[in-house]
Amino acid sequence: MADDLTLADGYELSTDPDRIDAERVHRWLSTDAYWAIGRPREKQDRAIAGSLNFGVYDSASGEQVAYARVVTDHATFAWLCDVYVERSVRGKGIGTALAAAVRDHLRPLGLRRVLLATHDAHAVYEQVGFRPLDRPDQWMAHTF
């Protein structure tokens, strides 16, 4: 079931996957997000299909202005990723509201942790309770 939430200043958040503007999300990420530059549309569409998606929309026009997705098992773990706020609406608190909404949506699941990675938005996520890993030396990654 999709959740809709009115945000301050004329924006609303929805988890309804049918509202996601996949073309817009792909354009944002593949051309303007350092972690996803050049990502093919087909790969982005698969990522959307396999994730819990959050969109922020202008209440008046219905136009999507922000996006985030979560990869999760809905029981123990989640990864918040592909968070993007359209440049024209940055600085209005939309990113912070989006991160808080994701946190609040996931809280009832009883997850042990929600992870994310960022080069430049630490302050946004710290406002909603994210902290650096206590023991980053215990984490490993495999890349292809």
Side-chain angles (χ1 to χ4, degrees):
M1 178 179 203
D3 292 325
D4 290 316
L5 171 70
T6 300
L7 302 179
D9 300 326
Y11 297 96
E12 60 187 24
L13 178 132
S14 178
T15 58
D16 181 350
D18 293 333
R19 289 191 71 184
I20 298 297
D21 184 339
E23 181 179 336
R24 179 177 294 222
V25 169
H26 175 255
R27 185 177 66 251
W28 285 339
L29 297 177
S30 68
T31 65
D32 194 40
Y34 63 83
W35 64 91
I37 297 293
R39 182 183 291 168
R41 171 70 191 266
E42 182 272 332
K43 184 173 277 200
Q44 183 61 49
D45 288 348
R46 281 192 339 229
I48 289 170
S51 300
L52 174 59
N53 297 279
F54 295 80
V56 177
Y57 305 87
D58 181 290
S59 296
S61 69
E63 181 177 323
Q64 187 169 352
V65 298
Y67 175 75
R69 69 184 181 92
V70 174
V71 179
T72 183
D73 62 6
H74 298 274
T76 63
F77 177 82
W79 175 42
L80 172 59
C81 55
D82 286 348
V83 179
Y84 187 90
V85 177
E86 184 176 85
R87 289 185 176 274
S88 67
V89 298
R90 290 182 187 172
K92 296 182 177 188
I94 292 171
T96 302
L98 176 55
V102 170
R103 176 203 60 205
D104 295 346
H105 185 91
L106 296 174
R107 186 179 315 240
L109 299 178
L111 305 174
R112 180 172 174 155
R113 67 177 42 93
V114 178
L115 291 181
L116 64 85
T118 183
H119 288 309
D120 57 358
H122 294 80
V124 169
Y125 298 109
E126 286 171 348
Q127 289 180 55
V128 298
F130 284 87
R131 301 287 176 260
L133 292 173
D134 289 333
R135 298 290 311 268
D137 59 308
Q138 292 181 352
W139 292 84
M140 298 177 71
H142 182 287
T143 56
F144 291 95

